[in-house]
Amino acid sequence: MKSSLSAPFKSGLTMVFFLFFSHVVVSQDSSQDPPNFIVIFADDLGYGDLGCYGHPTIKTPNLDQMAIEGQKWTNFYAAASVCTPSRAALLTGRLPVRSGMASNKSRVLFPNSVNGLPADEITLAEQLKKVGYSTACIGKWHLGHKEQYLPTNNGFDYYFGIPYSNDMDFEGKKGYRKTVADNDFIDTKDFNVPLLRNTKIIERPADQNTITKRYAQEAVDFIKKNKDEPFFIYLAHNLPHIPLFASKDFVGKSKRGLYGDVIEEIDHGVGQILNTLKEEGLAENTIVVFTSDNGPWLPFDTHGGSAGLLYAGKGSTWEGGMREPCIFWGPGRIKPAVVSDLGSTMDFFTTFSKLAGAEIPSDRPMDGVDLSQTLFNGEASPRDSFFYYRGTELYAARSGDYKVHYTTQGVYGQFGERVDHIVPLLYNLSEDPSEAYNIAESHPEVIQEINTLVKAHKENMVMGKDQLAERN
Amino acid sequence: MKSSLSAPFKSGLTMVFFLFFSHVVVSQDSSQDPPNFIVIFADDLGYGDLGCYGHPTIKTPNLDQMAIEGQKWTNFYAAASVCTPSRAALLTGRLPVRSGMASNKSRVLFPNSVNGLPADEITLAEQLKKVGYSTACIGKWHLGHKEQYLPTNNGFDYYFGIPYSNDMDFEGKKGYRKTVADNDFIDTKDFNVPLLRNTKIIERPADQNTITKRYAQEAVDFIKKNKDEPFFIYLAHNLPHIPLFASKDFVGKSKRGLYGDVIEEIDHGVGQILNTLKEEGLAENTIVVFTSDNGPWLPFDTHGGSAGLLYAGKGSTWEGGMREPCIFWGPGRIKPAVVSDLGSTMDFFTTFSKLAGAEIPSDRPMDGVDLSQTLFNGEASPRDSFFYYRGTELYAARSGDYKVHYTTQGVYGQFGERVDHIVPLLYNLSEDPSEAYNIAESHPEVIQEINTLVKAHKENMVMGKDQLAERN
């Protein structure tokens, strides 16, 4: 393997592109203050779960309006199909395999995990703090629950949330998975998940019935308190990950059952946040983005979401596992559009760092690209490829319209049988978003091109030490 | 069986509802002229094929804008899963089984069919003509190609279009189905479909490369010519039914291949029509509705569309076969909303007749309801049930959120094996739009309720004489 400084395939070209355009971006925005950033990150929400992405009965008027006023991206990817690696990638702008936050021994961190995000990883919060931002992490962390790994040791001034998934620390007598599928309620006390403010446990078990509402309120409060300086809020809802909970005002509100209630409560919170920005005169100088960490968790009957027309769900490297709704909003800055170009959560790091005037780290490979010219001017996205990892293994790769699957593993990802394809599967995702028509036989030259891309990517890949495997 | 005057189940209550509210509607609109109506009807377009219904790469900015300014319905049904019966139902406001335009011997009319829509059926065009409307049928008819069955003998002042499907009169040497799947083009001359103006053939074969564009232009011209009197335009595109054709400006334009090109050309035509209405000052007094005759024809690879998160497609009584995008537009009248209540193409007849002041026929059972209070005031839709027929057989029924399948037949409908369910399948479509989780076992009482509804419906059903079976 080459040194860790080696650029990933295509990133040389990307660099040239950015060096060329970065000046344009800076001059365009020089008359404006550095924008505030709010990332609203749902948990296990599927591509098809919002009104503006085609769900027939979940009502999401605030997100729909955000999409009308901003950009609705339709080929946008989380960097992994499960929680921990997806979150690590968003915050570091790097594939999780580089930071060791992806593993073949444990797909995510657990309450008995020993490690977390390595200290030498640079988070988006750390980037923005360097250039004067106030930073808050609200919601699910899942990058290490020990104190040294918590948000406040990773660039966030403030933290309010749960340290791992809302289904962990389960102390009920029955297996909750079956219970969730069979009944519409679970007693919160069966889950002993702690709620933290900064590094202190303030509630245990966290009252998940009100948690979505409280996260939104925390974001609103942080905006009001920090309105005179640039701020970054990473609002990572721990729902609609099962088990599902909604507050009294939302239970029974949607036609889609409890799952819909949860989404509608998240949507309501989005509305509160956007209204606060408008009331405080911050809308013109804030960029809000909404997306999710991975696709819907399908084995849970109607407690799981929908990937819409995409195939499969959470845990898999099919599109349903990793392609997500993504809506950018920023009146006066973001050019309203439906964008079918490629993007990824890893691009937040690069894009927001550039806009804030924070230097992109040059001592390590970065996987993000700067989307600002697409966001502001409707130019083509500089992202032309995407690598689909399961753990530390590359299962699939996309270049432009085409996706090659080298390995697939079930529809649900966790449970399916692994299949290594001697002749890889090939799909044109623009023409065939549901991955229904394998065209490998008629387009061997496309497979060859993507093989070349993948070979170069792998040759330049230095994997970080596995942080997920070790448990007490 | 009872007399043909017997009302269908629930229509008694519906009648009471309308008698009560019809006065309100009339008085509300008495200050306005009777509105113009434009029905834009696509052919084999799926639930998931528009941007605003979640398609990632088909760009439909005009339809998306129509949905933003108007009402986007998400539980709206074509009355059949194939062309001829679906069209008969839209124009008569009655289940096609009543008019004999549904059959178990031939699912649609063919160029060698003998019959067509019976003369004693009353079309929406005839209704509107009675109260002074100018009427035009532009596009695919498919309710009988002999002169006595053509649009101009069914209430339309003007006709421009093809008399049956665009894949009929095939004279090529190879089976076109295979060709369509294998190649991206077919020579127009392989299809000998005639193009008619009124009752005369003006072009044969119809040049399908330009036909979508010409249909839109015909609609624009008709609007301009008839702007001083109320008008009704039934614009029934014969695409995206295979074989696919687009004009030079659109071939290669979309990322979704030729299928996407076709949809984008239809969308462009929608934009031209809405712009014409605006330019002529007619927007405030015109109601435009866009929908499709049935779900996507799935066996044709990427030449077929997508039902999005719905299961199955054209020809089947699964949701993907009959639920369609439906967008109502009418600035100043239609209240912008996403509507998840039930509606059907059969409701156009009742709704538009009422708004135009044309009396609903009282000598026959009608299957439409008046949607105007939903459209104008956001009230609940009066439609609370829907019957899914295949030919003359009721395969499934929906009441509120619940759908019972008594019989299913394949995913594609035409080809699948028939299964009569001894215990019917039951789905909650609001919670489970993809019909993935059969809840028959846990909700036998719901099946009982729907059985009662279906029993009453069948007892009151008088089937019309089969008009589709006889061929030369």
Side-chain angles (χ1 to χ4, degrees):
Chain A
M1 291 211 195
K2 296 189 185 170
S3 114
S4 67
L5 298 184
S6 298
F9 188 83
K10 293 225 173 177
S11 115
L13 268 178
T14 307
M15 282 294 176
V16 172
F17 185 89
F18 291 131
L19 288 171
F20 185 77
F21 279 106
S22 60
H23 201 247
V24 180
V25 177
V26 171
S27 63
Q28 184 205 16
D29 290 304
S30 59
S31 62
Q32 298 182 284
D33 295 332
N36 309 304
F37 303 110
I38 303 177
V39 174
I40 307 176
F41 204 44
D43 196 347
D44 293 358
L45 180 138
Y47 187 80
D49 281 327
L50 306 182
C52 52
Y53 284 79
H55 201 281
T57 50
I58 301 176
K59 299 281 173 96
T60 52
N62 295 291
L63 287 159
D64 295 357
Q65 189 61 29
M66 222 178 125
I68 290 166
E69 294 172 11
Q71 285 189 0
K72 171 184 157 185
W73 286 58
T74 62
N75 279 281
F76 199 92
Y77 292 96
S81 67
V82 291
C83 295
T84 296
S86 176
R87 285 150 207 272
L90 185 153
L91 284 175
T92 62
R94 286 150 51 85
L95 284 166
V97 64
R98 298 194 197 277
S99 57
M101 295 299 279
S103 162
N104 296 337
K105 291 176 183 146
S106 179
R107 298 199 73 184
V108 297
L109 290 168
F110 288 89
N112 62 346
S113 294
V114 172
N115 300 306
L117 188 69
D120 60 357
E121 288 296 323
I122 301 166
T123 69
L124 177 53
E126 286 166 339
Q127 283 284 100
L128 296 173
K129 263 216 82 57
K130 273 189 260 173
V131 290
Y133 278 63
S134 298
T135 55
C137 174
I138 298 162
K140 172 170 160 181
W141 179 240
H142 215 180
L143 299 174
H145 63 279
K146 296 190 172 178
E147 183 159 339
Q148 68 267 36
Y149 299 118
L150 287 176
T152 44
N153 279 309
N154 273 295
F156 290 101
D157 299 324
Y158 179 70
Y159 177 50
F160 177 91
I162 66 174
Y164 32 69
S165 292
N166 67 328
D167 64 341
M168 293 176 173
D169 283 343
F170 178 67
E171 298 190 344
K173 284 177 184 166
K174 288 188 291 183
Y176 71 86
R177 288 185 177 175
K178 186 158 170 33
T179 310
V180 167
D182 288 349
N183 300 299
D184 276 345
F185 66 91
I186 281 192
D187 199 326
T188 301
K189 70 176 161 36
D190 285 347
F191 296 88
N192 202 27
V193 184
L195 179 69
L196 278 69
R197 193 183 305 278
N198 297 319
T199 59
K200 301 292 175 228
I201 295 175
I202 58 168
E203 189 176 297
R204 189 166 193 166
D207 178 3
Q208 294 201 47
N209 293 302
T210 57
I211 207 159
T212 299
K213 182 200 288 200
R214 287 188 285 167
Y215 288 160
Q217 188 59 48
E218 287 279 334
V220 164
D221 292 346
F222 192 86
I223 293 166
K224 288 182 178 172
K225 268 185 213 150
N226 293 277
K227 63 184 174 186
D228 299 325
E229 50 196 333
F231 60 80
F232 167 49
I233 299 173
Y234 171 56
L235 167 52
H237 284 288
N238 59 250
L239 293 163
H241 190 299
I242 60 101
L244 303 176
F245 298 95
S247 71
K248 278 181 190 157
D249 290 348
F250 285 87
V251 169
K253 183 167 177 290
S254 92
K255 289 190 177 179
R256 172 60 178 82
L258 188 53
Y259 187 88
D261 299 341
V262 169
I263 306 293
E264 295 191 7
E265 185 156 24
I266 289 173
D267 177 75
H268 180 74
V270 169
Q272 290 177 306
I273 289 166
L274 300 193
N275 283 340
T276 303
L277 292 172
K278 288 174 196 161
E279 285 160 16
E280 300 291 344
L282 298 169
E284 306 289 318
N285 202 36
T286 303
I287 292 171
V288 182
V289 58
F290 179 93
T291 187
S292 180
D293 65 338
N294 48 244
W297 213 359
L298 298 176
F300 297 97
D301 199 290
T302 57
H303 279 228
S306 168
L309 85 174
L310 304 180
Y311 186 61
K314 174 176 178 174
S316 85
T317 45
W318 295 99
E319 290 297 291
M322 296 173 73
R323 200 195 297 191
E324 288 299 322
C326 182
I327 305 167
F328 287 91
W329 181 89
R333 284 185 186 249
I334 306 287
K335 186 175 179 177
V338 178
V339 177
S340 54
D341 287 0
L342 273 65
S344 165
T345 53
M346 295 181 290
D347 304 332
F348 297 160
F349 184 106
T350 306
T351 306
F352 297 165
S353 290
K354 294 248 178 193
L355 291 172
E359 213 174 319
I360 306 296
S362 58
D363 64 343
R364 64 195 70 200
M366 299 299 298
D367 297 294
V369 298
D370 179 3
L371 302 178
S372 60
Q373 292 308 305
T374 313
L375 295 171
F376 300 156
N377 302 324
E379 290 181 11
S381 165
R383 175 173 289 282
D384 48 17
S385 64
F386 184 75
F387 300 105
Y388 304 69
Y389 277 85
R390 179 189 165 105
T392 64
E393 279 189 87
L394 188 150
Y395 270 33
R398 176 172 184 174
S399 175
D401 293 334
Y402 294 97
K403 177 179 180 182
V404 165
H405 289 269
Y406 300 101
T407 304
T408 51
Q409 192 160 356
V411 174
Y412 303 144
Q414 297 101 318
F415 312 118
E417 193 190 352
R418 176 189 175 121
V419 181
D420 293 303
H421 299 278
I422 296 167
V423 178
L425 310 178
L426 177 67
Y427 298 99
N428 179 328
L429 293 181
S430 291
E431 295 197 10
D432 175 23
S434 306
E435 297 174 282
Y437 309 111
N438 177 17
I439 54 172
E441 205 175 314
S442 58
H443 291 76
E445 78 290 354
V446 176
I447 297 179
Q448 277 309 319
E449 278 169 36
I450 296 181
N451 285 348
T452 307
L453 178 73
V454 167
K455 188 163 175 278
H457 172 78
K458 284 185 173 175
E459 280 173 1
N460 289 302
M461 173 57 67
V462 177
M463 292 189 191
K465 181 176 173 293
D466 185 339
Q467 304 295 326
L468 308 188
E470 200 179 341
R471 299 203 221 169
N472 282 329
Chain B
M1 288 208 197
K2 296 189 185 170
S3 111
S4 67
L5 298 184
S6 298
F9 187 82
K10 291 225 171 177
S11 115
L13 266 178
T14 307
M15 281 293 178
V16 172
F17 185 90
F18 290 130
L19 288 172
F20 185 77
F21 280 105
S22 60
H23 202 247
V24 180
V25 176
V26 171
S27 61
Q28 182 205 19
D29 289 305
S30 58
S31 62
Q32 297 181 284
D33 294 331
N36 309 305
F37 303 109
I38 303 177
V39 174
I40 307 177
F41 203 44
D43 197 346
D44 293 359
L45 179 138
Y47 187 79
D49 280 328
L50 306 182
C52 52
Y53 284 79
H55 200 280
T57 51
I58 301 176
K59 300 282 174 96
T60 52
N62 295 293
L63 287 160
D64 295 359
Q65 189 61 30
M66 220 178 127
I68 290 165
E69 295 172 10
Q71 285 189 0
K72 171 183 157 186
W73 287 58
T74 62
N75 279 283
F76 198 91
Y77 291 96
S81 66
V82 291
C83 295
T84 296
S86 176
R87 285 152 207 272
L90 184 152
L91 284 176
T92 62
R94 285 150 51 84
L95 284 166
V97 65
R98 299 192 197 276
S99 58
M101 296 299 279
S103 161
N104 296 337
K105 291 178 184 146
S106 178
R107 296 199 74 184
V108 298
L109 289 168
F110 287 90
N112 62 347
S113 293
V114 172
N115 300 306
L117 189 68
D120 59 357
E121 289 295 322
I122 301 166
T123 69
L124 178 53
E126 287 166 338
Q127 283 284 100
L128 296 174
K129 262 214 83 58
K130 273 189 261 172
V131 290
Y133 278 63
S134 298
T135 56
C137 174
I138 298 162
K140 172 171 160 180
W141 179 240
H142 216 179
L143 298 175
H145 62 279
K146 296 192 174 177
E147 184 160 337
Q148 68 267 36
Y149 299 117
L150 287 176
T152 43
N153 279 310
N154 273 295
F156 290 100
D157 299 323
Y158 179 71
Y159 177 50
F160 177 90
I162 66 174
Y164 33 69
S165 291
N166 68 329
D167 65 340
M168 293 176 174
D169 282 343
F170 178 67
E171 298 190 343
K173 285 177 186 166
K174 290 187 291 183
Y176 71 87
R177 291 187 176 176
K178 186 157 169 34
T179 311
V180 167
D182 288 349
N183 299 298
D184 276 345
F185 66 93
I186 280 191
D187 199 326
T188 301
K189 70 177 161 35
D190 285 347
F191 295 89
N192 202 26
V193 183
L195 179 70
L196 278 68
R197 192 183 304 278
N198 298 320
T199 59
K200 302 290 174 231
I201 295 176
I202 57 169
E203 189 176 297
R204 188 165 195 168
D207 178 3
Q208 293 200 47
N209 294 301
T210 58
I211 207 159
T212 299
K213 182 201 290 199
R214 287 189 284 168
Y215 288 159
Q217 189 58 49
E218 287 279 334
V220 164
D221 293 346
F222 192 86
I223 293 167
K224 288 182 177 172
K225 269 186 213 149
N226 294 276
K227 62 184 174 186
D228 299 324
E229 49 197 334
F231 60 80
F232 166 50
I233 299 174
Y234 170 58
L235 167 51
H237 284 289
N238 60 251
L239 292 163
H241 190 299
I242 60 102
L244 302 176
F245 299 95
S247 71
K248 278 182 189 157
D249 291 349
F250 285 87
V251 169
K253 185 168 176 288
S254 91
K255 289 190 177 179
R256 171 60 178 82
L258 188 52
Y259 187 88
D261 299 341
V262 169
I263 306 293
E264 295 191 7
E265 185 156 22
I266 289 173
D267 177 75
H268 180 75
V270 169
Q272 289 178 306
I273 289 166
L274 300 193
N275 283 340
T276 303
L277 293 172
K278 289 173 196 162
E279 285 160 17
E280 300 291 345
L282 298 169
E284 306 288 319
N285 202 36
T286 303
I287 291 171
V288 182
V289 58
F290 179 92
T291 187
S292 181
D293 66 337
N294 49 245
W297 213 0
L298 298 176
F300 296 97
D301 200 287
T302 58
H303 279 229
S306 168
L309 83 173
L310 304 180
Y311 186 60
K314 175 176 176 172
S316 84
T317 45
W318 296 98
E319 290 297 292
M322 297 174 71
R323 201 196 296 191
E324 288 298 322
C326 183
I327 305 167
F328 287 91
W329 181 88
R333 284 186 187 249
I334 306 287
K335 186 176 179 176
V338 178
V339 177
S340 53
D341 287 0
L342 273 65
S344 165
T345 54
M346 294 181 290
D347 305 332
F348 297 160
F349 184 105
T350 306
T351 307
F352 297 166
S353 290
K354 294 247 180 194
L355 291 172
E359 212 173 322
I360 306 297
S362 57
D363 65 343
R364 63 195 72 202
M366 299 299 299
D367 296 295
V369 299
D370 178 3
L371 302 178
S372 60
Q373 292 306 307
T374 313
L375 295 172
F376 300 155
N377 302 326
E379 291 181 10
S381 166
R383 175 173 288 282
D384 48 16
S385 65
F386 184 75
F387 300 106
Y388 304 69
Y389 277 85
R390 180 188 165 105
T392 63
E393 278 189 88
L394 188 151
Y395 271 32
R398 176 172 184 174
S399 175
D401 293 333
Y402 294 97
K403 177 179 179 182
V404 165
H405 289 270
Y406 299 102
T407 304
T408 52
Q409 191 159 359
V411 174
Y412 302 143
Q414 297 100 320
F415 312 119
E417 192 190 350
R418 176 189 176 122
V419 181
D420 293 304
H421 299 279
I422 296 167
V423 177
L425 310 177
L426 176 67
Y427 298 98
N428 178 329
L429 293 181
S430 291
E431 295 198 10
D432 175 23
S434 306
E435 297 174 281
Y437 309 111
N438 178 17
I439 54 172
E441 204 174 314
S442 58
H443 291 75
E445 77 290 356
V446 176
I447 297 180
Q448 277 309 318
E449 278 169 35
I450 297 182
N451 285 349
T452 306
L453 179 73
V454 167
K455 187 163 175 276
H457 173 77
K458 284 184 172 175
E459 280 173 1
N460 288 304
M461 173 57 68
V462 177
M463 293 189 191
K465 180 174 175 292
D466 185 339
Q467 304 295 325
L468 308 188
E470 199 179 342
R471 298 204 221 170
N472 284 329

